Amino acid sequence: MHMPSSAPGMPGAPHTSHEPVIAVRDLCFAYGDEPVLDHVDLTVERGEFLAVLGPNGGGKTTLLKLLLGLLTPRSGSVTLFDGAPKAALPRIGYVPQYSTARLDFPVTVLDVVLMGLAGTRRGLLGRHWSRDAASIDRAREALEQVGLSGMEKRMVGELSGGQRQRAVVARALMAQPELLLLDEPTASIDPQGSFCFFEFLGTLRGPHTLVVVSHDLSIATSTFSNVAFVNRTLVHSRGAGLTPEMLTMLYGHHEKTCPMGAFISSVSGLFPVLPRMDELPPVATTAPSGSLVSADATPSPAAPSPAAKDA
Amino acid sequence: MLDALSYDFMQQALAASLLASIACGVIGTLVVVNRLVFLAGGVSHAAYGGVGLAFHYGWPVLPSAIGFSVASSMLMAGVALKRPEKADTAIGVLWAAGMAFGIILIDLTPGYKADLMSFLFGSILAVPLTDLYLMAALDAALLAMVALCHQTLLVTSFDREFAEARGLPVRTAHYLVVGMTAVGVVMLIRVVGLVLVMALLTIPPFIAARSARSLPSMMAAATAWSTVFCVGGLALAYRWDVTSGAAIIAVASAGFMAVSGAGALRRAIGRRNPQ
């Protein structure tokens, strides 16, 4: 199989080295007979901020679960830090979709953040973390880092959607992870809040490698270094920027008269500060056939994959 | 009124109330925060299948009922884990099937008929001393179990996906909670009856959750509320000579409505006078 050629990071990108943190090779996955991911390749290097975009049911969350080792690929391989995903769990900070946690749960913000220390010791019995002064100080620092100082005594249900999301990021930071994986972090935040949240995520880049799964276009305002489009297949490009072609891949073809079509054709004017994709160096991408397609091989949008059915 | 306390049966009823309240406070909290109330209902009703088996084949009742309900609870827990969208239906089927199976077996058994009413309502006023010791042992085992794995239970109950990604034994913890529920519920049914178990499993934890700041404090508050309801109910039963289990449930339900009503009132006032 081909290896994606590495391209130089964006000018001024912090701490990007060519050490691969994530290496996905020719990965296929299906739920039953329903193919979800088809011959996917992806390389993420240390210090990069990868935005994973795609429609609902396109396989974004499945890709994240494969990276965490919670699902096993049908074929192909997933390597994290040169090893199996399960072995890398202690080095990963995972921020699940907020809907997986219980809002009415009797737990303070401080205790939620302390849960981030879980997993350093295995086993059903016994203590996974200690609630000593050092751990509590560390939790306070994590809360300060996400802008929630002084909130540690609040109940988790009293926080706003954006604050809750920052609290679970603080929880992920407790284990001092090298890689942060976030699944739809803005799903429970209003649009204004999600701009702020993505901006905040940009500040974490550097010591952490970030992979953020989203179908929220406000991620376009954040300082991501690469984009991957997942809709059964995966198209990866280094450099920040959304083009009408990418949006077409995400949302399908629309007539110009359709509001979505009008939006797509106006998008390059919406985010004028970002470089257009076709100005960026070509990076290896994959198509269903597994052939090498360069990202600037437009105008015709990169093979719209068979519309994945909603999961 | 206080003269009631001089009766042996009343003292034993109060002891049974306290012991049942501890078990219900601990199990009920785990059931409520894990949204397993329907599953607990299914497990406890299906236990009647075990009672039927015991009577039909002359097996000892308690081990048969526990074995039957643990087996059916593991089945329900497995479906809840692997096919969450089907769990509701599967629990409903096992709930009805277990109960019908028990009734048919008892119908087919000649001679003494076990009383369905005592399975449903129990008799907190006639708890033998041996059952009190059995319940004390159950409470001790439950508290020890929860204390030993409380961090695992906390993380897996709060956020299962996160717990899984941290490598915690999420599945084992799920089966443990369901298994503890099955064993605990059967032991309590024997003493206070199915209907009272369901009431004490849900109402006190619901009230406790409104002000609790942690899982242990929710368990303690649920135990306290449950004890208050039991003592209040027993007093009512004594004063007006009504069924004790029903009186306890009446007091608990009144408490539930009072707390919900007060909460709604507070929210309405809060909306009118925002800080």
Side-chain angles (χ1 to χ4, degrees), chain A residues 9 27 147 152 158 161-162 169 194 230 234 238 241 257 264 282 299 302:
Chain A
L27 174 84
E152 62 264 25
E158 291 168 9
V169 173
S194 62
V230 179
L234 188 144
R238 288 216 152 72
T257 49
I264 288 174

Side-chain angles (χ1 to χ4, degrees), chain A residues 65 68 70 89 92 94 96 98 100-102 104-108 112 115-116 118-119 122-129 153 155 171 175, chain B residues 33-35 145 148-155 157-162 164-169 172-173 176 209 212-215 218:
Chain A
K65 288 189 170 169
L68 284 163
L70 300 181
L89 282 183
I92 302 175
Y94 174 48
Y98 201 77
T100 69
R102 324 261 179 184
D104 52 354
F105 205 91
V107 64
T108 59
V112 170
M115 282 184 215
R122 303 295 293 253
L124 184 72
L125 298 174
R127 293 194 318 162
H128 297 281
W129 68 91
K153 292 214 168 95
M155 299 303 291
R171 177 179 68 176
Chain B
V33 298
N34 281 291
R35 314 257 161 88
M145 201 69 191
L148 275 175
C149 15
H150 103 267
Q151 287 189 330
T152 304
L153 292 174
L154 173 65
V155 185
S157 304
F158 178 65
D159 192 340
R160 181 181 292 178
E161 256 188 56
F162 174 76
E164 214 175 351
R166 294 305 303 168
L168 263 65
T172 318
L176 178 73
R213 300 183 60 84
S214 67
L215 271 190
M218 182 170 164

Side-chain angles (χ1 to χ4, degrees), chain A residues 9-262:
Chain A
M10 288 298 292
H15 301 283
T16 307
S17 72
H18 294 305
E19 182 191 345
V21 171
I22 298 175
V24 174
R25 296 284 169 268
D26 200 26
L27 174 84
C28 294
F29 184 81
Y31 288 113
D33 295 330
E34 193 71 39
V36 180
L37 292 170
D38 203 12
H39 298 287
V40 162
D41 287 82
L42 176 69
T43 305
V44 180
E45 293 172 356
R46 187 172 291 278
E48 287 186 326
F49 179 169
L50 173 73
V52 179
L53 304 181
N56 283 337
K60 305 187 298 292
T61 298
T62 303
L63 178 65
L64 218 51
K65 288 189 170 169
L66 285 157
L67 291 179
L68 284 163
L70 300 181
L71 296 173
T72 312
R74 282 283 170 94
S75 64
S77 68
V78 177
T79 314
L80 266 72
F81 301 106
D82 298 323
K86 286 265 186 204
L89 282 183
R91 302 165 79 173
I92 302 175
Y94 174 48
V95 181
Q97 288 195 25
Y98 201 77
S99 54
T100 69
R102 324 261 179 184
L103 283 186
D104 52 354
F105 205 91
V107 64
T108 59
V109 172
L110 178 67
D111 280 322
V112 170
V113 177
L114 283 171
M115 282 184 215
L117 294 173
T120 35
R121 250 186 294 175
R122 303 295 293 253
L124 184 72
L125 298 174
R127 293 194 318 162
H128 297 281
W129 68 91
S130 94
R131 216 174 172 285
D132 56 13
S135 310
I136 291 173
D137 281 348
R138 210 160 122 196
R140 290 218 169 93
E141 275 166 39
L143 281 169
E144 200 179 316
Q145 201 180 344
V146 301
L148 291 180
S149 308
M151 296 274 201
E152 62 264 25
K153 292 214 168 95
R154 299 273 188 96
M155 299 303 291
V156 71
E158 291 168 9
L159 300 183
S160 72
Q163 289 171 332
R164 270 200 305 272
Q165 208 51 266
R166 285 163 187 259
V168 289
V169 173
R171 177 179 68 176
L173 293 175
M174 278 301 274
Q176 296 171 328
E178 293 159 69
L179 171 66
L180 269 174
L181 301 176
L182 296 95
D183 192 2
E184 298 280 4
T186 56
S188 60
I189 311 180
D190 58 53
Q192 293 146 292
S194 62
F195 283 113
C196 298
F197 186 80
F198 283 125
E199 198 186 315
F200 151 71
L201 280 187
T203 66
L204 295 177
R205 211 187 141 191
H208 307 285
T209 306
L210 277 98
V211 174
V212 180
V213 157
S214 187
H215 66 249
D216 182 349
L217 274 181
S218 45
I219 198 171
T221 59
S222 68
T223 55
F224 58 84
S225 57
N226 325 359
V227 201
F229 296 90
V230 179
N231 193 0
R232 211 169 96 179
T233 57
L234 188 144
V235 180
H236 184 204
S237 110
R238 288 216 152 72
L242 294 176
T243 62
E245 289 75 31
M246 293 172 170
L247 291 170
T248 304
M249 259 195 58
L250 276 177
Y251 298 107
H253 286 283
H254 294 265
E255 296 299 322
K256 290 264 188 219
T257 49
C258 160
M260 197 65 216

Side-chain angles (χ1 to χ4, degrees), chain B:
Chain B
M1 192 71 175
L2 282 174
D3 58 319
L5 293 175
S6 61
Y7 295 112
D8 273 356
F9 76 87
M10 210 52 174
Q11 288 169 5
Q12 290 191 10
L14 287 174
S17 304
L18 182 62
L19 292 171
S21 294
I22 293 172
C24 286
V26 173
I27 298 173
T29 295
L30 290 173
V31 164
V32 166
V33 298
N34 281 291
R35 314 257 161 88
L36 294 174
V37 173
F38 191 55
L39 190 140
V43 168
S44 47
H45 283 83
Y48 200 64
V51 176
L53 274 177
F55 273 98
H56 195 69
Y57 295 103
W59 297 341
V61 175
L62 194 59
S64 314
I66 287 181
F68 194 84
S69 79
V70 167
S72 62
S73 76
M74 292 298 122
L75 213 60
M76 295 182 206
V79 177
L81 207 59
K82 292 191 181 77
R83 307 286 300 273
E85 72 284 359
K86 302 262 190 252
D88 244 23
T89 314
I91 292 168
V93 170
L94 281 169
W95 174 315
M99 207 144 189
F101 180 65
I103 291 171
I104 290 173
L105 281 177
I106 286 175
D107 283 345
L108 295 176
T109 309
Y112 170 74
K113 299 282 180 195
D115 183 5
L116 184 59
M117 285 307 280
S118 79
F119 175 80
L120 288 179
F121 290 100
S123 162
I124 201 165
L125 291 174
V127 182
L129 215 54
T130 48
D131 276 9
L132 288 185
Y133 293 134
L134 211 59
M135 270 171 51
L138 167 76
D139 285 350
L142 261 180
L143 289 173
M145 201 69 191
V146 169
L148 275 175
C149 15
H150 103 267
Q151 287 189 330
T152 304
L153 292 174
L154 173 65
V155 185
T156 51
S157 304
F158 178 65
D159 192 340
R160 181 181 292 178
E161 256 188 56
F162 174 76
E164 214 175 351
R166 294 305 303 168
L168 263 65
V170 174
R171 281 153 206 277
T172 318
H174 174 75
Y175 286 113
L176 178 73
V177 169
V178 174
M180 284 200 301
T181 307
V183 176
V185 159
V186 172
M187 304 272 286
L188 291 166
I189 286 175
R190 184 179 158 84
V191 180
V192 295
L194 173 82
V195 179
L196 187 51
V197 170
M198 287 311 294
L200 292 186
L201 225 42
T202 47
I203 297 176
F206 169 82
I207 297 175
R210 303 175 71 91
S211 52
R213 300 183 60 84
S214 67
L215 271 190
S217 75
M218 182 170 164
M219 289 173 180
T223 299
W225 277 108
S226 171
T227 311
V228 166
F229 295 147
C230 286
V231 172
L234 284 173
L236 277 186
Y238 182 77
R239 177 72 179 77
W240 282 298
D241 192 21
V242 292
T243 310
S244 54
I248 294 171
I249 294 171
V251 171
S253 308
F256 173 84
M257 283 173 220
V259 170
S260 311
L265 203 67
R266 213 174 26 234
R267 277 195 302 280
I269 292 170
R271 263 198 301 275
R272 199 166 294 175
N273 310 310
Q275 285 156 353

